[in-house]
């Protein structure tokens, strides 16, 4: 993402958004500290981009333009969550942000989302944009609306902080599932894996809402029944009860890839012992990237 691009035609916008979606999610998730919240931020950003495109001036670098929208949307989310820290350093230090070697870049790219959240917003954004997503200093200036010295300073400080965090022991306890969550999820997972979709349909509410992320939304038992029918026709999934970012979740593994991490996940909400909402990330497999997940051992 280091060279300008021609402004996209209206017919190319959908293709551009689809191609950029995984990278934009990676940025949003690391900015807000959650792959789940990051998807919400991404969806808001894409809506803003579509609305702004018709009236936008000629866009010389569409990718940087999209990152600018995603950046501002993430900041709005952080403000609403009352977690935003100071955006600007007290002074602009003309500090050289040297190139990292491949090992350094891989280490930063593999940094956990919770660790990124410990950085001030400006440091977090500059490190993600350069060391995770490969943007140039000039592009980062445009996305963050910072001067070059301020970006260099934020990048240097952010890298220094991440090295210090990496040396700290990670002994934070991991919460487990509550007994109620374990029972409900295990019942759903066991029936799903057995392909007993009639039993699954009996578990869902009449007014159930389903989001097949990055694909479609369905409402009501009749529409959602088609979703289960589609799963019955394929065999590239095996569900396991677990957690994603500490939330009760269903992990989806590929049975043909033994030892591989989950390919996606599902989130369920309940009402009066019925499944009220399903959020399935099957078509947004990028969302599991960087997420803290765990198989339930209870």
């Amino acid at each position: 993402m280091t060279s300008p691009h021609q402004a996209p035609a209206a017919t190319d916008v959908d293709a551009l958004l689809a191609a950029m979606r995984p990278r934009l999610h990676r940025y949003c998730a690391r900015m807000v500290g959650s792959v789940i919240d990051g998807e919400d931020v991404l969806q808001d950003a894409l809506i803003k981009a579509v609305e702004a495109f018709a009236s936008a001036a000629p866009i010389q670098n569409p990718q940087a333009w999209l990152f600018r929208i995603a950046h501002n949307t993430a900041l709005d989310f952080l403000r609403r969550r009352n977690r935003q820290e100071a955006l600007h350093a007290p002074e602009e230090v003309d500090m050289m942000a040297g190139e990292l070697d491949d090992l350094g870049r891989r280490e930063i790219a593999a940094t956990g989302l919770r660790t990124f959240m410990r950085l001030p917003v400006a440091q977090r954004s500059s490190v993600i944009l350069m060391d995770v997503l490969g943007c140039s200093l000039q592009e980062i200036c445009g996305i963050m609306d910072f001067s070059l010295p301020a970006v260099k300073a934020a990048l240097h400080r952010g890298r220094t902080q991440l090295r210090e965090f990496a040396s700290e022991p990670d002994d934070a306890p991991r919460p487990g599932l509550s007994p109620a969550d374990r029972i409900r999820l295990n019942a759903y997972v066991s029936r799903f894996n057995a392909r007993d979709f009639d039993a699954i349909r009996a578990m869902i509410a009449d007014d159930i809402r389903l989001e097949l992320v990055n694909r479609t939304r369905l409402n009501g038992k009749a529409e959602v029944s088609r979703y289960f029918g589609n799963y019955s026709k394929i065999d590239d999934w095996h569900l396991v009860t677990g957690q994603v970012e500490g939330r009760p979740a269903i992990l989806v593994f590929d049975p043909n890839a033994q030892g591989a991490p989950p390919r996606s996940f599902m989130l369920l909400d309940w009402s009066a012992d019925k499944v009220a909402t399903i959020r399935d990330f099957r078509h947004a497999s990028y969302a599991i990237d960087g997420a803290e997940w765990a198989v339930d051992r209870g």
Side-chain angles (χ1 to χ4, degrees):
M1 199 180 123
T2 58
S3 60
H5 301 270
Q6 294 295 323
T11 55
D12 296 332
V13 172
D14 288 344
L16 173 65
L17 297 182
M20 287 290 295
R21 189 166 184 138
R23 297 184 72 218
L24 290 169
H25 177 270
R26 200 175 192 192
Y27 178 72
C28 293
R30 282 156 178 76
M31 280 297 291
V32 303
S34 164
V35 298
I36 299 167
D37 291 340
E39 179 63 30
D40 293 333
V41 172
L42 171 59
Q43 291 185 19
D44 287 346
L46 295 182
I47 291 171
K48 292 176 181 178
V50 170
E51 292 174 346
F53 177 77
S55 58
I59 303 169
Q60 297 303 315
N61 189 332
Q63 294 187 20
W65 179 73
L66 285 173
F67 271 110
R68 177 72 177 273
I69 293 174
H71 174 76
N72 290 332
T73 305
L75 294 186
D76 289 342
F77 178 90
L78 291 170
R79 291 187 187 101
R80 289 194 301 270
R81 205 167 62 178
N82 294 322
R83 291 186 181 175
Q84 185 185 26
E85 303 167 64
L87 289 180
H88 296 271
E91 70 283 338
E92 292 186 350
V93 180
D94 189 7
M95 201 173 291
M96 287 303 297
E99 288 292 325
L100 293 183
D101 57 22
D102 288 342
L103 177 60
R105 287 188 181 278
R106 287 197 299 270
E107 289 175 345
I108 289 179
T111 298
L113 272 65
R114 288 191 302 168
T115 303
F116 275 116
M117 286 301 292
R118 297 175 65 182
L119 294 177
V121 170
Q123 296 176 20
R124 189 188 322 158
S125 181
S126 60
V127 170
I128 296 168
L129 287 168
M130 174 164 278
D131 296 331
V132 178
L133 296 169
C135 297
S136 68
L137 285 170
Q138 289 72 25
E139 286 171 328
I140 298 171
C141 290
I143 292 167
M144 296 175 60
D145 196 22
F146 273 24
S147 68
L148 182 59
V151 168
K152 289 180 177 180
L155 185 60
H156 176 81
R157 293 185 179 115
R159 287 169 169 173
T160 301
Q161 284 279 73
L162 286 181
R163 292 189 190 98
E164 293 176 358
F165 295 154
S167 65
E168 298 176 358
D170 184 12
D171 54 2
R174 299 292 187 267
L177 293 176
S178 70
D181 283 330
R182 180 174 293 113
I183 291 171
R184 292 189 298 196
L185 285 179
N186 281 341
Y188 188 93
V189 164
S190 62
R191 288 166 173 78
F192 211 108
N193 284 333
R195 296 177 178 267
D196 188 356
F197 294 112
D198 287 338
I200 290 288
R201 291 183 181 97
M203 298 177 68
I204 65 177
D206 290 336
D207 59 349
I208 187 169
R209 292 176 290 112
L210 180 143
E211 180 187 2
L212 198 54
V213 178
N214 198 20
R215 182 61 60 91
T216 189
R217 295 174 187 264
L218 302 173
N219 295 285
K221 184 173 285 191
E223 285 191 1
V224 174
S225 288
R226 300 200 306 268
Y227 157 81
F228 298 120
N230 290 335
Y231 265 103
S232 70
K233 300 172 185 176
I234 54 180
D235 58 5
D236 62 349
W237 52 267
H238 177 75
L239 309 189
V240 176
T241 301
Q243 297 180 80
V244 173
E245 297 181 343
R247 291 182 55 173
I250 296 171
L251 303 173
V252 184
F253 290 86
D254 183 347
N256 301 311
Q258 296 297 320
R263 61 183 297 175
S264 64
F265 61 97
M266 305 175 186
L267 301 175
L268 274 58
D269 286 321
W270 305 76
S271 176
D273 293 326
K274 293 286 188 179
V275 181
T277 65
I278 301 172
R279 198 173 191 194
D280 185 342
F281 287 78
R282 175 180 176 85
H283 297 289
S285 56
Y286 54 78
I288 197 72
D289 172 42
E292 292 185 357
W293 59 271
V295 171
D296 180 54
R297 304 297 183 185

